[in-house]
Amino acid sequence: MKILFKNIKGLLQTIGKEISYLKGLEMKNLSQINNAYLIINDDSIIDFGEMHSCPKPHVDKIIDANGKYILPAWCDSHTHLVYSGSRENEYVDRINGLSYEEISKNGGGILNSAKELKNTSNKQLYDQSAKRLEEVISLGTGAVEIKSGYGLCLSEEIKMLEVINKLNENYDISIQSTFLAAHAVPEKFKNNKKKYINQIVKEWIPFVAKKKLAKYIDVFCEKGYFSLSETKQILEAGVKNGFIPKVHVNQFNSIGGVELCREYNALTIDHLEVLTKDDLNILKNSSIMPVGLPNCSFFLNIPYTPGRKIIDNNIPFTLASDFNPGSSPSGNMNLVISLACSKMGLSPEEAINATTINGAYAMGLSKELGSITIGKKANLILTKSISSYSMIPYAFGSNLIEDVYINGKSINNL
Ligand code: NIG
Ligand code: FE
């Protein structure tokens, strides 16, 4: 089906196909065409330009986007949206004074979600997760990375990864799967962590690689979770088995994970709520994409990743939702953008660059997604009628999205 969008108030992120991500100063500029047209054919973008040069092709549908913006759908490169149940009790415990770390030390947190997962069938897990996926699509997400990590044993990890892959088969949205091999240490290995790591390295990683259940490998590199040397062992095995690292680093403490990510050529380094001078210098001299997760900072009441400082040091930057039951029970990328602007000091242009082309890069998808470029997939957001695109971060909490197109198909069938 061929669709012509005409009279678009602003067509955003119209960069060339040679650009795979933007960094530092480049992020200040959001390329755009005012009063534009856009033509998509089936799942692809085939033409766009200024309205006065709009051709008169034979199309199946014409949509008048007068007063509205069209931009690439959000690319959310860090989520844990396949999980079972919810943890609002812990949220209330935190309101009453316990910290995230204290809750986890008392057997809550990730261990709690792992317990819940065990009591959930594959079908139930799929259904719960599909609902979350549909919700984020309706909020404008057009590509998403999903991690395992609540299994804490091989069979449960496989259950999660199979659900992630099934979602990818059944939905048009592009889903990238990450094996979060080391997320927490289960109770029965508390006194024998070595054995647990050994199992991950010797059995789990080779198995998941052989079955091709994930492309990326992740570790929660943090005090009280996995130390630097444990993370190293896992990344080493991961890379040997063909995985690309995308790693949870510096959420609460800087313990050397940034240097390790450089050593193992991580695609992304995620969290960085704590960022030392040395860490920043390493990032400056590497090609890793840092990922800020402002929903998590908001929800846990912890510092925000210093996105402003990262960009000012000419480093690329992306933003993701971290959708998960403990630290960010929201996959709303519009809120991510608002928080990035209000709390990290990004401009709307920087935040939109971060969540489109840079988000696509952070999932290895920038050849096909993340910008309005001929040949790329027609994964689009059509906004409601708005005065400017700065309304997106400004009107936080409001839904300014009229429709979302995934592979050229409207989710509302408008
Ligand atoms: O990215 N930090 C580690 N993992 C998740 C939280 C997991 C959970 O609490 O369930 C995060 O914040
Ligand atoms: Fe996370």
Side-chain angles (χ1 to χ4, degrees):
M1 172 144 110
K2 207 182 245 187
I3 305 175
L4 164 69
F5 297 88
K6 64 173 190 179
N7 301 325
I8 307 163
K9 179 168 183 169
L11 183 62
L12 307 181
Q13 196 57 294
T14 51
I15 49 175
K17 65 173 186 296
E18 70 289 351
I19 295 176
S20 52
Y21 66 84
L22 299 166
K23 68 173 184 174
L25 268 183
E26 296 165 352
M27 291 179 71
K28 284 210 182 318
N29 180 43
L30 176 63
S31 52
Q32 58 183 297
I33 302 174
N34 294 327
N35 196 16
Y37 73 91
L38 169 70
I39 304 173
I40 63 175
N41 188 23
D42 296 332
D43 64 352
S44 303
I45 295 169
I46 61 164
D47 192 14
F48 62 87
E50 289 177 21
M51 204 49 216
H52 66 77
S53 60
C54 182
K56 295 201 167 41
H58 170 77
V59 293
D60 302 292
K61 200 172 186 174
I62 297 179
I63 293 172
D64 193 338
N66 193 11
K68 302 167 187 176
Y69 286 80
I70 290 182
L71 63 156
W74 310 131
C75 294
D76 187 355
S77 66
H78 180 139
T79 84
H80 310 243
L81 73 74
V82 168
Y83 62 83
S84 177
S86 56
R87 304 214 308 258
E88 68 272 27
N89 295 346
E90 294 179 4
Y91 170 56
V92 177
D93 287 345
R94 280 195 298 105
I95 294 171
N96 289 327
L98 284 183
S99 72
Y100 179 79
E101 284 143 309
E102 280 163 346
I103 290 168
S104 118
K105 264 194 207 128
N106 298 338
I110 295 165
L111 297 186
N112 207 345
S113 291
K115 219 179 289 159
E116 185 93 33
L117 179 76
K118 251 202 167 71
N119 297 324
T120 305
S121 71
N122 292 38
K123 161 103 176 61
Q124 287 165 331
L125 183 65
Y126 178 88
D127 290 345
Q128 289 186 31
S129 308
K131 232 168 129 181
R132 293 183 200 112
L133 185 67
E134 287 175 19
E135 188 200 7
V136 300
I137 294 170
S138 74
L139 293 166
T141 296
V144 69
E145 179 259 17
I146 310 177
K147 301 171 195 298
S148 64
Y150 292 112
L152 311 186
C153 69
L154 183 56
S155 59
E156 291 295 301
E157 278 295 295
I158 292 169
K159 178 160 120 187
M160 290 189 77
L161 291 166
E162 283 179 348
V163 166
I164 298 171
N165 286 299
K166 193 82 207 154
L167 290 169
N168 191 33
E169 268 168 42
N170 293 350
Y171 284 83
D172 280 334
I173 178 174
S174 190
I175 298 176
Q176 297 296 305
S177 165
T178 296
F179 179 30
L180 175 42
H183 201 191
V185 183
E187 210 55 63
K188 71 173 190 193
F189 286 96
K190 271 264 136 75
N191 298 318
N192 200 352
K193 212 172 165 195
K194 223 173 166 178
K195 191 166 170 200
Y196 187 59
I197 310 267
N198 219 24
Q199 197 172 281
I200 295 174
V201 165
K202 298 254 160 64
E203 294 170 34
W204 302 14
I205 291 177
F207 186 87
V208 173
K210 200 171 99 202
K211 296 280 178 196
K212 295 192 168 34
L213 288 169
K215 182 168 172 193
Y216 300 102
I217 186 118
D218 193 353
V219 180
F220 188 12
C221 178
E222 182 59 61
K223 269 189 195 160
Y225 293 86
F226 295 91
S227 70
L228 196 64
S229 70
E230 290 159 351
T231 305
K232 187 177 167 78
Q233 288 176 60
I234 292 159
L235 293 187
E236 175 84 31
V239 168
K240 263 198 191 127
N241 280 274
F243 293 101
I244 301 165
K246 277 170 72 67
V247 193
H248 282 74
V249 171
N250 287 23
Q251 184 173 5
F252 303 107
N253 301 280
S254 173
I255 59 169
V258 178
E259 174 60 27
L260 197 64
C261 281
R262 184 172 61 146
E263 193 181 327
Y264 285 94
N265 287 323
L267 175 65
T268 67
I269 182 158
D270 306 45
H271 277 287
L272 303 176
E273 286 87 344
V274 176
L275 191 67
T276 65
K277 245 192 179 148
D278 287 349
D279 290 335
L280 192 68
N281 278 330
I282 297 165
L283 290 178
K284 263 202 242 177
N285 297 308
S286 80
S287 58
I288 312 172
M289 172 73 75
V291 185
L293 306 164
N295 284 7
C296 169
S297 298
F298 168 76
F299 194 67
L300 293 188
N301 228 341
I302 61 173
Y304 286 82
T305 306
R308 178 74 273 139
K309 204 195 248 176
I310 290 172
I311 292 174
D312 287 344
N313 276 277
N314 207 28
I315 297 166
F317 189 55
T318 186
L319 295 157
S321 73
D322 199 13
F323 196 174
N324 77 75
S327 68
S328 172
S330 164
N332 189 339
M333 287 295 281
N334 307 286
L335 178 61
V336 165
I337 289 171
S338 283
L339 291 172
C341 292
S342 295
K343 300 291 185 184
M344 294 179 178
L346 268 64
S347 65
E349 291 79 11
E350 288 169 329
I352 293 173
N353 281 324
T355 46
T356 54
I357 188 65
N358 285 7
Y361 179 84
M363 290 184 270
L365 294 175
S366 54
K367 280 202 164 60
E368 59 213 81
L369 287 165
S371 65
I372 304 295
T373 305
I374 290 172
K376 282 199 182 180
K377 278 197 178 156
N379 284 18
L380 313 167
I381 291 172
L382 170 66
T383 70
K384 293 177 181 163
S385 189
I386 51 177
S387 46
S388 77
Y389 60 74
S390 296
M391 284 296 283
I392 298 171
Y394 166 81
F396 76 97
S398 293
N399 185 358
L400 302 182
I401 295 177
E402 177 161 299
D403 203 358
V404 180
Y405 289 79
I406 303 291
N407 282 359
K409 282 184 240 146
S410 151
I411 61 161
N412 296 326
N413 291 315
L414 292 177

